[in-house]
Amino acid sequence: MSGHRSRHVRRPAAEIVRELRNLRSSPLRIDDENEAWAEGYEKPPTPDLPVTSRDQLEQLRLSRHRIGLLLIRPAFEQAVTGCFVRVNVNGQEELPDHRIAEVLGICELDFGYKVEQIPTNVALRLRYEDLVMQHEINDVSNLAFTQDEFELWRDNCVNQALSPPTTHMVTRKKVELYNALQSEAKPLSLIQRTFSFALRPPQKSGIMERHGAVYPWRLKHPLPFVPQPPIMPLPKNPPRGLTYRPKLETVAEEEEPEDSGTGTAKILTIGTTFNGLLS
């Protein structure tokens, strides 16, 4: 043995505490050979796929009530652009016919109207089928898309070579709508005091009249079809009595020429017979 006795060196307490804190904050490793824990685990991004169902497109739908809530907030145009609405493409005197339309932007009208007691002159630029039309907010429905309307919209996207919205766009638009609804709204009393356009009467005409045209005829709803009852045939052997009146036939004989010997004309004889009494 060596003559020198080895002396134990005591470690400082601060160093021991520092190592214990590092061990406590480090993640638990199942496999030391796995490099993913050392570099940090990252979830792979979801693929950006186009919407294929009505429920997916329903997340981008704006109702008339929700548009009214966004109308009194500052980021209205940015919030509604890119969303979809269920719009009535017919006038008030016509049967309603709804389409799924994409909101391309907004425009201003020369007159004002009310949307749930909110005066405005803002209209929506909508694209449906192969048209881009201006529609008032009151033309937008509060009801959800139907399956037939969704099938028609999807077929139109294929025919017009339009790209449908994707899942990433749906997620981004939902965040924009949430932030827009959380922003501060203008007081309704302030909007009513500062609104300077003349309000149009609430009775709406047709869409053509709303855009400056005039219908060449007055549109009317078709009358309901009521089938006529079939005509009952006459009985072949009717009962004889007071309830049955026989048909009278008058037989007239042709007038014969005057007799040269007597100079008198033969009187026209008329015979009346009863039909069916002697049968």
Side-chain angles (χ1 to χ4, degrees):
M1 292 180 63
S2 172
H4 299 282
R5 185 180 298 177
S6 61
R7 234 170 52 176
H8 180 70
V9 180
R10 189 173 181 177
R11 299 176 59 188
E15 184 179 351
I16 298 175
V17 172
R18 190 184 307 113
E19 291 185 1
L20 290 175
R21 287 178 179 175
N22 293 336
L23 291 175
R24 188 179 302 175
S25 62
S26 62
L28 178 63
R29 296 188 180 184
I30 300 177
D31 188 4
D32 293 337
E33 297 179 357
N34 191 1
E35 303 258 343
W37 290 98
E39 299 177 0
Y41 178 73
E42 294 182 1
K43 186 178 180 179
T46 58
D48 192 12
L49 302 176
V51 297
T52 56
S53 65
R54 183 185 57 168
D55 295 335
Q56 291 178 326
L57 188 64
E58 185 71 21
Q59 301 180 35
L60 292 178
R61 184 183 66 87
L62 290 179
S63 62
R64 182 175 64 251
H65 175 70
R66 201 172 190 184
I67 295 177
L69 296 177
L70 294 170
L71 185 61
I72 57 179
R73 284 167 169 82
F76 172 71
E77 182 175 4
Q78 180 182 358
V80 300
T81 302
C83 293
F84 290 82
V85 295
R86 183 174 184 261
V87 63
N88 179 22
V89 298
N90 286 345
Q92 190 173 4
E93 296 184 357
E94 304 170 89
L95 295 177
D97 189 12
H98 294 88
R99 295 286 188 275
I100 297 179
E102 181 183 0
V103 182
L104 301 180
I106 63 174
C107 58
E108 294 185 356
L109 303 177
D110 297 335
F111 53 87
Y113 63 98
K114 284 190 176 183
V115 180
E116 298 183 355
Q117 305 302 321
I118 303 174
T120 183
N121 66 324
V122 174
L124 302 177
R125 293 180 58 249
L126 303 179
R127 176 171 62 189
Y128 52 90
E129 296 179 350
D130 57 343
L131 304 173
V132 177
M133 299 290 294
Q134 298 179 6
H135 282 269
E136 298 178 7
I137 302 176
N138 290 327
D139 295 335
V140 177
S141 173
N142 281 325
L143 302 180
F145 300 143
T146 62
Q147 187 63 31
D148 294 339
E149 294 168 356
F150 176 77
E151 296 292 341
L152 180 61
W153 170 80
R154 187 169 59 180
D155 294 343
N156 180 69
C157 289
V158 175
N159 297 333
Q160 300 294 329
L162 300 176
S163 300
T166 60
T167 54
H168 287 184
M169 177 184 174
V170 172
T171 304
R172 184 174 64 254
K173 205 64 188 177
K174 288 172 63 177
V175 175
E176 290 183 5
L177 291 174
Y178 176 80
N179 294 334
L181 289 173
Q182 294 302 317
S183 60
E184 185 178 0
K186 299 179 181 178
L188 180 59
S189 58
L190 177 62
I191 297 176
Q192 293 176 348
R193 287 200 308 267
T194 58
F195 190 75
S196 59
F197 289 87
L199 291 177
R200 190 195 55 202
Q203 291 80 13
K204 297 192 300 182
S205 303
I207 291 182
M208 291 182 62
E209 297 176 359
R210 214 177 303 161
H211 294 284
V214 179
Y215 285 104
W217 59 88
R218 183 173 180 81
L219 299 177
K220 296 182 179 179
H221 294 298
L223 297 176
F225 175 73
V226 178
Q228 298 293 334
I231 301 176
M232 301 300 295
L234 296 176
K236 296 182 179 179
N237 297 321
R240 298 179 180 181
L242 298 178
T243 58
Y244 177 72
R245 179 173 298 177
K247 182 179 180 181
L248 301 180
E249 292 183 358
T250 302
V251 180
E253 297 181 357
E254 294 182 359
E255 184 179 0
E256 297 181 358
E258 296 181 356
D259 192 357
S260 56
T262 59
T264 60
K266 187 178 181 180
I267 301 175
L268 179 66
T269 60
I270 300 175
T272 303
T273 61
F274 290 90
N275 181 20
L277 294 179
L278 301 180
S279 60

